Structures are given as C-alpha cells and as structure tokens.
Amino acid sequence: MINILFWNAKASKKNLSDGPKEKERIENNLINLIIERKCDIVVLAEYDLDLNALCNKISLHGRDFKIAAIAKDTRVKLIIDTKFKLELLRDSAYYFIYNIKCAALEFLLSGVHLQSKLHATNADREMVAGDLISKIQESEDLVTHKNVIIVGDFNADPFEDVMVKGNMMHAIPFADIVIKKQSRKVAGKKYQMFYNPMWNFFGDLNFPYGTFYYDAGGSMNFYHNIFDQAIFSADMTKHLDRKKIKIIDSINNCSLMDCKGNPNQEIFSDHLPIFFQIKEETV
C-alpha cells in the first residue's frame, strides 16, 4: 500500500507570530500525523515552515523523506519517501505534476491549490483547471500511461462547475462508470473522466461533515464544504482502496476540531487533512 496525505496546513497569523515554540508545535503535529498514518507521500498547501527541518525530524522516527523540486512560487509542495523515484513534468503557481515510480506501479501525481473564493472568481479557477487538464494530457503522452491522481485544495465543492465540467476536472461520484467509460464526448470532443470519492462525505450522517467550514453571507450558504479533494483517472481508480479514504479529524487522539465541531484554526488549520491508500497491484 502507498499512503498519501494532503493538508492545507496554513497556520493562523497569530500562531506564526507566537514564536519558535508555536512553530515547533505546528511542525510536530504534522510529523505525528505522518508517522501515525505511515504516510509515504505528503502534499502540502500553505505550509510556510522549513521543509528541510520537517524531513530531518521525520528521519528521527525511522522514515527518510526528501523534498520534491518545485518552483518557489508553486502554492503546493511535496515531500516523499526516498524509496520512490520521481520526475517533475509540469508546474505552475497553482499545481505540479510528477511522474512517480515504485516497485510495481507508475503514476502521475498532481498537487493543486486553486485560487481562494475570497480573492478570485469561478472563471479564474476554471481557467487554471483547464490549463491543468491540458498539462495532464501532455504528461500522459510523455509517460505513456493514464494512472493519474489529482489532489489538493480546489477551493470548490465537488458539485461546482470547475469539478464536474467536461473540459475541466470532469470528476463524478461513480467509480464503476468512470472505469467503464474512461472518457466522454462533449460537442464532438473526447474528455477524460475522473472519479471523485469525496462526494461520499456530504451530509450529516458521518463526522466530520467536510474539510472546511465557512459561514458565508449571500443567498446560498452550505456551511460545511469539501474543498480538499482527491480525484482519480479510470486506470488509477482500480488501485484506490475506496474504504480507506478519510477526512482526518484527530492526530494521536488529539482532536483537530473546536468546541463547535469545526476545524480548529486557532490551534491547527482551518482545513482538515485528507488521507487515502493506493494498492500497487490490482486484483
């Protein structure tokens, strides 16, 4: 199994201004999560602390991680177990695309952090999403396989246009349809499909209710949002253990939630992490 973690681990300005001890606490929480979940690949958004120091401290727990080379202005970063081979294929301010090789599997991993709803429009996010999908297609041609994972903070819920439109993420909540069809023609053009398991977390039957809480104004307010998502191409969906994908709400039995049941941004982050497992071989 390959264990993959994504976290928009942005600390509050107050926490970062509280000095070295507070920064060390934030760092230690992330390390504890990585060790607890036996993570092999970690994608981080808005993590402003030293990644070299993070990897060095992880090594004290018997795990060797390296920092993936990505442009300085990229909003997502990657650390990965040294047992993996990787090649950077594309990057921009909003995403990276790596080809990752392990003993029995080769796959493309794209980490993404689209623009915030507070500072950009849906059209802005859709422009970046279209560019990313175009670069995914270029990367698939280069590596001659279609094993693709796109993970990160999309700043959009799974039902929003940027996530479901054919020329963007084109991600739906039904694995069997994605595996069977793989792509779909729209207006005469073929578009690759992705499986989005994060739809399964909507509603109040399971806890936590989402990865991000926002009490918005205006005519629509969902309160609990699932901005942090992982989507999978048809070939990669066959490797996903669908029962093991989780929204993480605690680290070593320490809750990441506040007293209202929302992400505790004063102590941790305003986003919850997501975790999933990939099988190197399919049955």
Side-chain angles (χ1 to χ4, degrees):
M1 286 289 202
I2 301 171
N3 298 330
I4 302 177
L5 174 75
F6 170 76
W7 196 3
N8 182 328
K10 181 181 180 180
S12 69
K13 291 181 179 179
K14 175 184 179 299
N15 287 343
L16 291 177
S17 67
D18 283 345
K21 287 187 177 180
E22 187 61 25
K23 293 178 181 179
E24 183 179 12
R25 186 188 62 77
I26 294 167
E27 186 178 63
N28 287 340
N29 284 325
L30 177 55
I31 292 168
N32 289 337
L33 177 55
I34 292 169
I35 299 304
E36 179 185 21
R37 294 285 170 176
K38 300 178 181 178
C39 298
D40 301 299
I41 297 172
V42 180
V43 181
L44 296 168
E46 300 195 57
Y47 184 78
D48 297 323
L49 304 184
D50 187 347
L51 288 177
N52 281 304
L54 178 66
C55 290
N56 289 337
K57 289 187 176 182
I58 293 172
S59 70
L60 299 177
H61 297 266
R63 297 293 306 278
D64 290 323
F65 274 74
K66 59 187 175 184
I67 305 169
I70 297 168
K72 288 185 178 180
D73 66 341
T74 302
R75 290 154 57 96
V76 272
K77 307 298 181 186
L78 172 66
I79 63 170
I80 186 168
D81 193 294
T82 55
K83 66 186 177 184
F84 295 101
K85 295 180 180 180
L86 69 164
E87 178 185 7
L88 179 63
L89 300 180
R90 299 286 188 273
D91 63 356
S92 80
Y94 302 102
Y95 61 80
F96 64 73
I97 304 172
Y98 263 99
N99 191 48
I100 296 177
K101 296 181 181 180
C102 52
L105 179 64
E106 181 176 346
F107 62 96
L108 293 174
L109 176 69
S110 177
V112 61
H113 185 195
L114 298 186
Q115 304 97 310
S116 167
K117 288 178 178 287
L118 297 177
H119 307 295
T121 66
N122 290 334
D124 295 322
R125 281 182 291 280
E126 290 174 7
M127 183 172 67
V128 175
D131 177 61
L132 169 59
I133 291 302
S134 174
K135 296 301 189 295
I136 290 283
Q137 292 169 345
E138 292 176 8
S139 300
E140 288 174 336
D141 292 339
L142 284 172
V143 299
T144 64
H145 67 73
K146 291 183 178 293
N147 294 323
V148 184
I149 303 169
I150 307 175
V151 62
D153 178 0
F154 293 86
N155 269 306
D157 278 304
F159 52 78
E160 293 190 56
D161 285 2
V162 69
M163 298 304 302
V164 296
K165 277 186 175 180
N167 62 335
M168 297 175 204
M169 297 305 163
H170 203 191
I172 68 169
F174 305 107
D176 57 340
I177 294 176
V178 172
I179 291 172
K180 181 180 179 180
K181 294 181 67 68
Q182 298 194 25
S183 63
R184 186 170 66 96
K185 272 191 175 182
V186 181
K189 186 174 181 180
K190 184 183 288 187
Y191 295 96
Q192 184 174 6
M193 299 175 74
F194 287 85
Y195 169 55
N196 188 350
M198 303 306 294
W199 283 84
N200 293 312
F201 293 100
F202 277 121
D204 61 0
L205 292 182
N206 298 298
F207 187 84
Y209 303 143
T211 66
F212 180 80
Y213 178 85
Y214 181 58
D215 189 354
S219 61
M220 291 193 302
N221 186 358
F222 299 109
Y223 295 96
H224 295 280
N225 301 273
I226 303 177
F227 290 168
D228 309 273
Q229 303 170 59
I231 63 175
F232 304 83
S233 66
D235 289 350
M236 203 66 207
T237 298
K238 299 172 186 176
H239 291 270
L240 173 66
D241 189 335
R242 282 186 271 164
K243 295 180 180 179
K244 296 294 178 64
I245 189 163
K246 297 181 181 299
I247 298 174
I248 304 298
D249 64 351
S250 66
I251 301 173
N252 288 342
N253 295 318
C254 178
S255 178
L256 299 178
M257 317 300 285
D258 63 19
C259 60
K260 297 180 180 179
N262 303 322
N264 193 334
Q265 60 183 315
E266 293 302 318
I267 298 178
F268 300 101
S269 169
D270 56 355
H271 288 252
L272 295 178
I274 60 172
F275 172 85
F276 55 95
Q277 294 184 315
I278 295 297
K279 299 172 282 189
E280 292 193 44
E281 296 180 347
T282 57
V283 178

